[in-house]
Amino acid sequence: MKEVAVIGVGMTNFGELWNKSIKDIFVEAALKAIDNAGVDHIDSMYIGTMSGGLFVGQEHIGAVMADYLGMNPVPATRVESACASGGTAFRQAYFEVASGSSEIVLASGVEKMTDGVDVTAALATAADQEYEVYNGVTFPGLYAMIANAHMHQYKTTREQLAAVAVKNHRNGKNNPNAQFRNEITIEQVLNSTLVADPLRLLDCSPVSDGGAAVILCSMELAKQFTDSPVRVIASAQASDTISLYERDSLTTLKAVSDAAAKAYKQAELKPDNIDIAEVHDCFTIAEIVVSEDLGFFEKGCGGAAVEEGKTSLEGQIPINTSGGLKSKGHPVGATGIAQIIELYEQLTGQAGKRQVKDARIGLAQNMGGSGASCTINILEAV
Ligand code: COA
């Protein structure tokens, strides 16, 4: 296997992009990445999209995007793993370069969610239709069950959940691509509209449009394009039961701990060695559970850790320096690639006011549904 590098990145703003189609959004992100990397061609492309069909009536996303990017006959493959589609697309691109079958590969993600469909119903197609959706539960409800279990078992408090949203909005304020660039307070979170008890509006990631793309090539070739490539040192993936009711515990996301074990083994690292992490905070409770399942904190201590500032920019392990899904936005297929972009900017010292001092190793954790699929990619500054 060849060593693989990320050599360029590009993304659109995340938010309500009323005047842009899914094709416009993809092309804008892809061209920015190609330009940023300085490559004159790509050999192959992967596009993570959860549901072009349900959100905008467009399937056959691979061919559509290659065509609009003017890249025919380059092979273009759509990758779907619900909200983990982006992370999974990155992993496919990684393997294509690592195997030596392509030299320069574009990994991307795109979603257009605000065009008027019933987004909650469309998103819920990623849950178990028979046992969950038929009975009326959707993602806010599923994560509310996880939150209630965590609060009951570990005495995690409502304020600790709110502290995740407050921190992520604070970080997102300094991210020019973020959907919400306003700071919020604990009181505002606690007084926002109830969505699914105990989760409130400001505990939820928003509905978003957006695209993100990165360029990968071998470490050997990377030297021709940049003095500061970022090395991919692990790429892991795991699956879990699609339904929450089948799990032994509601307070652990097993696909996250399983993927993390594989990723740490591949990179020969321990959780302590990670300098920064982008994690899948689709709801505030998700960031707390994931921070424990990645081994950053003991089980049950994730809530206290965020409240004590351990995950803030200056903390022991800065989490979601980009603003996370909560503030940056969550155009589902694009999210996993946007996480890689934040790591790239941090590891190459380009994160501006969000910059974490001396960040050398970053981890991106992207998951689908209520954690039935999870990818973890670890990157290292060279
Ligand atoms: N955070 C902060 N503000 C939000 C927000 C969020 N998550 N969602 C909406 N808003 C704001 C809007 O900008 C709008 O503000 P304005 O009145 O100043 O324009 C206001 O709140 C109302 O927005 P609206 O679109 O009517 O909200 P909604 O009630 O239709 O949707 C949620 C709110 C939380 C239900 C929706 O964002 C949601 O479903 N989020 C979860 C998405 C999800 O499940 N993703 C997959 C995860 S697995």
Side-chain angles (χ1 to χ4, degrees), residues 42-57:
I42 55 172
D43 300 314
S44 173
M45 53 194 269
Y46 289 86
I47 307 111
T49 308
M50 177 186 155
S51 197
L54 288 175
F55 291 126
V56 289

Side-chain angles (χ1 to χ4, degrees), residues 83 123 139 180 195 201-202 204-207 282-283 326 330 369:
C83 303
L123 287 169
F139 281 111
F180 295 118
V195 174
L201 179 82
L202 292 175
C204 305
S205 58
V207 171
C282 49
F283 299 93
K326 174 66 209 73
H330 183 28

Side-chain angles (χ1 to χ4, degrees), residues 264 269-277 296 317 361-363 378:
Y264 291 140
L269 294 174
K270 295 199 165 70
D272 286 358
N273 303 124
I274 305 296
D275 297 322
I276 47 166
F296 298 146
I317 167 79
I361 297 178
L363 177 151
I378 304 182

Side-chain angles (χ1 to χ4, degrees), residues 34-91:
I34 289 168
D35 188 46
N36 184 247
V39 295
D40 61 3
H41 74 284
I42 55 172
D43 300 314
S44 173
M45 53 194 269
Y46 289 86
I47 307 111
T49 308
M50 177 186 155
S51 197
L54 288 175
F55 291 126
V56 289
Q58 181 67 65
E59 298 291 11
H60 208 174
I61 293 289
V64 170
M65 298 312 169
D67 187 15
Y68 268 73
L69 192 57
M71 284 294 168
N72 290 334
V74 160
T77 308
R78 179 249 184 102
V79 178
E80 189 275 310
S81 189
C83 303
S85 299
T88 313
F90 181 82
R91 187 169 145 79

Side-chain angles (χ1 to χ4, degrees), residues 1-8 87 89-98 105 107 214-220 222 228-236 263 266-269 340 343-344 347 360-364 376-382:
M1 295 263 276
K2 292 189 177 194
E3 282 198 315
V4 178
V6 178
I7 58 166
F90 181 82
R91 187 169 145 79
Q92 298 311 309
Y94 163 78
F95 282 127
E96 187 158 335
V97 173
V105 178
V214 300
I215 303 287
L216 297 93
C217 70
S218 67
M219 274 307 288
E220 225 177 310
S228 52
V230 168
R231 194 192 327 256
V232 184
I233 54 173
S235 183
Q266 187 187 349
E268 297 180 1
L269 294 174
I340 300 287
L343 296 186
Y344 180 87
L347 299 177
R360 291 200 50 76
I361 297 178
L363 177 151
I376 294 181
N377 293 294
I378 304 182
L379 275 57
E380 180 183 41
V382 176

Side-chain angles (χ1 to χ4, degrees), residues 16 50 83 113 119-120 123-124 126 138-140 143 169 179-180 182 184 193 195 200-208 280-283 325-327 330 332 367-371:
E16 297 190 23
M50 177 186 155
C83 303
M113 300 170 74
V119 174
T120 303
L123 287 169
T138 56
F139 281 111
Y143 278 94
H169 271 251
Q179 180 164 355
F180 295 118
N182 59 313
I184 55 173
T193 308
V195 174
R200 293 178 174 272
L201 179 82
L202 292 175
D203 288 294
C204 305
S205 58
V207 171
S208 319
H280 198 96
D281 59 319
C282 49
F283 299 93
L325 285 54
K326 174 66 209 73
S327 158
H330 183 28
V332 287
M367 64 189 171
S370 46

Side-chain angles (χ1 to χ4, degrees), residues 14 20 28 42 65 123 140 151 171 191 207 229 244 259 264 323 335 346 373:
F14 281 6
K20 291 177 185 167
E28 182 183 328
I42 55 172
M65 298 312 169
L123 287 169
M151 291 166 90
N171 292 343
N191 292 321
V207 171
L244 283 190
Y264 291 140
T335 282
Q346 289 282 354
S373 59

